[in-house]
């Protein structure tokens, strides 16, 4: 079995093929209450126990969607996929929780606490601007007594060898980080927060180890806390503009929410595409949207036009320059609107804590 | 180097000889501001950095004495030695903190939380009855956010191999327990509790590993928190009445605070002594107070008479039966007075939280 290190690099080339290996169920077989391009396009492709969530939606029972952000770098457009997914589940009744993983960031990366607060607040504002309505924002470092105790109590029912099998080499910092994550995922089910209920966590495959251990622990503590095993959805990442991964530490690999129009234009125009070596060849054979970062952006931020773009590209009717110009325009419009909403969000932020 | 397991059995036959091995300084070379039989008799025999405390006493600066109790069994008379030591340091100006290690007890022994509260409260009452005045009592499970964060942050600067070298085999529960202990020892120095100051922890040798790692961590976090390296005093244990260790799980090995006069009498009369095989031989060669549990009790609970008793015993003038009867009377008197004070303490307990 491939080993996934949630604190290191995670390279998955073929998401579909990895599902069997990692015990993830495909989402394409699941009928969701409302269509959404994130599922249609396969960006959100897999799940664990989504049935518990669908059941809660159907019966109008309480359920929670929870995500965490790592306050170690600026928020880029790739991060917005998870927010769009939250907005979707919120429209179906989810209570939403967003936490800043500041304790974990300190333990695994050693960031400055003041700096982490600035970054977290910027994330929170972006989340609101992206359409998240009522939502509980919080910091790991400001957890309640029950939450803190839970993170310690959980240590009792997981063995060292289990953790080692899942994470590989361990350090006290990694063990504590992992315990905090389990506690984060389970805390919506604490009495003080409303008690046991289905919880769904939207994650990338790199977070799978945390999900798996948390599910085991939820089961092992079912008598003490009555926990329901948490569900998860699995999403792909937007590809980097230069190919490879998008990364906060490589500014040209991603478009950031605070990029100027000029920067966005420059990054898009220099982006890698699925185009051919010459215009002639592209006219003849068509482009390859399936490997094209520019098309990936279209499919998320210009989703209504993405079918037309895919088809024109494949038929050799749409050249990369033109396609990039369209994306440029779309992103400039998106960011302009976003920043206006963000300004407004700033005034409302206090209500979210 | 011998390995000490703070969660297992700890067998030290020769305390004096163990000091060099464990880097503990002898207390007999230290001039204390006031005499006390605990130090005179060698029950408290060693220290680390007691100089910081003596300096604070001299300069009338803030210092803290902190101890923890494990709420896993009833309090016995052996536990009172540490309280007497606290009363002594309190008379010299120490701020006193007593914590119930309920989270650790849960992690390492899995006790019921309700039960732990009952036991802890009984300990607290005994502490007050034994003469502790102003004192902060608290539970690990009710720690502040800063205390909880500290226990997690500390994980960053201790490596797995360091912990393994000190504790031997590790489990997530042991790692978390240890981190909580470090946080307990350092928390009097948190800003919210008054900031950095000398802290002294009275411990048995079994707690040495925690003391050593905490001292290292205090140093490693000196820039972030300004910690002063904590000091420690090391005490011997009262011997078990049947020889060997005193243990809450072996009722006849110890006298408990809630034992009736009849039970005390029975236990003392059946206790092992340092007496000889026959009265004749004892008259001729004298007894051996240095290995006698009954004499150990005299030296703590009848300290004013202990020199007379030692001398008469060694000269063959005092027989074991008579000596036991005297101890019986002393303990009955002590417990009667103690229980009256405890009743009073019950009314005052709230003021201590």
């Amino acid at each position: 079995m491939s080993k996934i290190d949630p604190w290191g690099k995670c390279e998955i080339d073929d998401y579909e093929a990895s599902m069997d290996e990692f015990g993830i169920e495909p989402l394409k077989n699941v009928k969701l209450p409302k269509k959404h391009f994130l599922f249609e396009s396969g960006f959100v492709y897999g799940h664990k126990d989504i049935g518990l969530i669908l059941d809660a939606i159907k019966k109008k029972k309480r359920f929670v969607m929870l995500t965490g952000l790592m306050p170690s770098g600026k928020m880029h457009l790739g991060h917005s996929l998870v927010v769009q997914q939250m907005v979707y589940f919120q429209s179906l009744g989810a209570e939403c929780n967003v936490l800043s993983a500041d304790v974990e960031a300190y333990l695994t990366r050693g960031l400055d606490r003041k700096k982490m607060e600035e970054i977290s607040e910027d994330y929170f504002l972006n989340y609101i601007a992206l359409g998240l309505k009522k939502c509980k924002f919080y910091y790991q470092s400001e957890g309640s007594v029950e939450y803190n105790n839970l993170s310690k109590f959980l240590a009792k029912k997981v063995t060292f060898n289990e953790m080692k099998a899942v994470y590989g080499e361990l350090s006290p910092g990694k063990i504590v980080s992992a315990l905090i994550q389990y506690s984060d995922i389970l805390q919506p089910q604490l009495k003080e927060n409303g008690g046991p209920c289905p919880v769904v966590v939207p994650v990338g495959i790199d977070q799978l180890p945390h999900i798996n251990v948390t599910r085991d622990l939820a089961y092992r503590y079912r008598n003490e806390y009555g926990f329901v095993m948490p569900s998860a959805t699995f999403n792909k990442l937007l590809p980097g503009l230069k190919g490879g991964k998008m990364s906060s530490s490589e500014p040209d690999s991603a478009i950031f929410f605070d990029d100027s129009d000029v920067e966005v234009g420059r990054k898009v125009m220099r982006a890698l595409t699925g185009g051919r070596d010459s215009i002639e060849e592209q006219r003849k054979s068509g482009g390859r949207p399936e490997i094209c970062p520019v098309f990936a952006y279209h499919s998320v931020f210009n989703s209504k036009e993405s079918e037309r773009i895919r088809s024109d590209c494949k038929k050799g009717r749409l050249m990369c320059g033109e396609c990039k110009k369209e994306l440029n325009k779309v992103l400039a419009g998106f960011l302009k609107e976003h920043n206006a909403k963000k300004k407004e969000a700033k005034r409302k932020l206090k209500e979210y804590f």
Side-chain angles (χ1 to χ4, degrees), chain A:
Chain A
M1 187 168 173
S2 317
K3 203 153 250 167
I4 298 176
D5 176 1
W7 297 290
K9 294 259 177 250
C10 178
E11 316 271 352
I12 296 281
D13 293 322
D14 187 341
Y15 285 101
E16 315 287 330
S18 71
M19 284 200 275
D20 249 8
E21 188 179 357
F22 295 127
I24 297 171
E25 300 290 320
L27 258 177
K28 63 179 178 211
N29 307 336
V30 174
K31 203 180 145 23
L32 294 167
K34 281 199 272 183
K35 284 194 172 188
H36 193 283
F37 79 88
L38 278 177
F39 306 101
E40 305 282 306
S41 64
F43 265 113
V44 187
Y45 65 96
H47 75 91
K48 291 209 172 203
D49 263 349
I50 192 77
L52 293 173
I53 301 301
L54 298 179
D55 194 55
I57 294 171
K58 210 170 151 188
K59 295 180 179 157
K60 296 189 186 297
K61 285 191 176 164
R62 173 175 176 252
F63 72 102
V64 174
M65 186 169 222
L66 168 129
T67 190
L69 60 94
M70 183 62 86
S72 57
K74 291 195 296 183
M75 184 163 168
H76 55 58
L77 296 196
H79 291 125
S80 67
L81 293 186
V82 77
V83 190
Q84 298 202 32
Q85 201 187 153
M86 288 197 101
V87 170
Y88 171 81
F89 278 100
Q90 184 164 62
S91 77
L92 296 170
E95 259 181 54
C96 292
N97 285 6
V98 176
L99 67 96
S100 167
D102 59 345
V103 174
E104 199 188 345
Y106 172 78
L107 285 173
T108 56
R109 308 186 189 200
L111 300 171
D112 175 67
R113 287 176 85 180
K114 183 76 202 147
K115 183 86 195 146
M116 290 196 283
E117 226 169 85
E118 279 170 29
I119 297 175
S120 304
E121 190 176 304
D122 193 60
Y123 268 82
F124 292 155
L125 290 172
N126 284 327
Y127 275 53
I128 300 170
L130 284 164
L132 207 60
K133 294 200 175 69
K134 209 179 155 201
C135 173
K136 188 171 128 192
F137 289 128
Y138 65 97
Y139 291 85
Q140 283 177 334
S141 68
E142 293 176 354
S144 72
V145 164
E146 281 308 315
Y147 160 85
N148 275 310
N149 286 342
L150 177 61
S151 77
K152 295 170 187 170
F153 292 164
L154 292 175
K156 188 172 172 60
K157 296 198 184 170
V158 58
T159 68
F160 187 74
N161 286 335
E162 283 177 301
M163 291 187 86
K164 194 162 177 177
V166 171
Y167 298 112
E169 273 316 300
L170 289 170
S171 66
K174 280 186 181 180
I175 290 175
V176 170
S177 281
L179 290 167
I180 294 171
Q181 289 242 9
Y182 312 153
S183 187
D184 285 329
I185 296 173
L186 294 171
Q187 62 81 19
Q189 300 193 56
L190 288 176
K191 219 173 171 183
E192 63 184 12
N193 295 325
C197 74
V199 174
V200 56
V201 194
V203 292
I205 188 79
D206 56 318
Q207 300 300 307
L208 178 68
H210 293 321
I211 296 291
N212 285 344
V213 181
T214 310
R215 284 167 57 84
D216 284 346
L217 281 169
Y219 184 76
R220 290 172 197 172
Y221 278 90
R222 65 195 181 285
N223 294 327
E224 286 92 332
Y225 286 95
F227 288 142
V228 177
M229 273 163 80
S231 310
T233 58
F234 293 86
N235 55 265
K236 298 177 194 169
L237 302 174
L238 263 184
L241 288 170
K242 315 286 264 182
K245 277 188 71 173
M246 214 188 302
S247 163
S248 296
S249 54
E250 283 175 52
D252 279 2
S253 71
I255 291 167
F256 294 90
F257 276 96
D258 63 356
D259 279 350
S260 69
D261 285 359
V262 176
E263 278 169 312
V264 172
R266 186 179 54 79
K267 288 180 184 180
V268 171
M269 294 321 281
R270 287 188 189 171
L272 191 82
T273 69
R276 303 290 177 174
D277 290 346
S278 68
I279 291 193
E280 288 68 39
E281 205 193 326
Q282 186 148 350
R283 288 223 168 92
K284 199 174 126 210
S285 318
R288 288 158 299 178
E290 66 281 3
I291 61 158
C292 175
V294 173
F295 179 73
Y297 274 79
H298 273 299
S299 65
V300 173
F301 297 96
N302 194 18
S303 61
K304 281 176 193 159
E305 301 298 325
S306 68
E307 258 324 294
R308 169 186 55 83
I309 292 166
R310 181 207 299 275
S311 161
D312 283 358
C313 172
K314 289 193 86 142
K315 286 177 187 154
R317 287 189 206 149
L318 182 63
M319 296 299 112
C320 294
E322 203 181 327
C323 181
K324 283 177 166 180
K325 272 187 200 156
E326 181 173 344
L327 180 62
N328 240 339
K329 215 172 136 188
V330 166
L331 292 182
F334 167 78
L335 284 175
K336 194 180 164 191
E337 198 182 337
H338 179 84
N339 285 323
K341 285 182 190 162
K342 198 169 165 181
K343 242 181 177 168
E344 206 178 320
K346 219 164 187 168
R347 275 181 284 132
K348 296 190 289 186
L349 186 61
K350 273 189 195 155
E351 297 163 25
Y352 285 78
F353 282 86

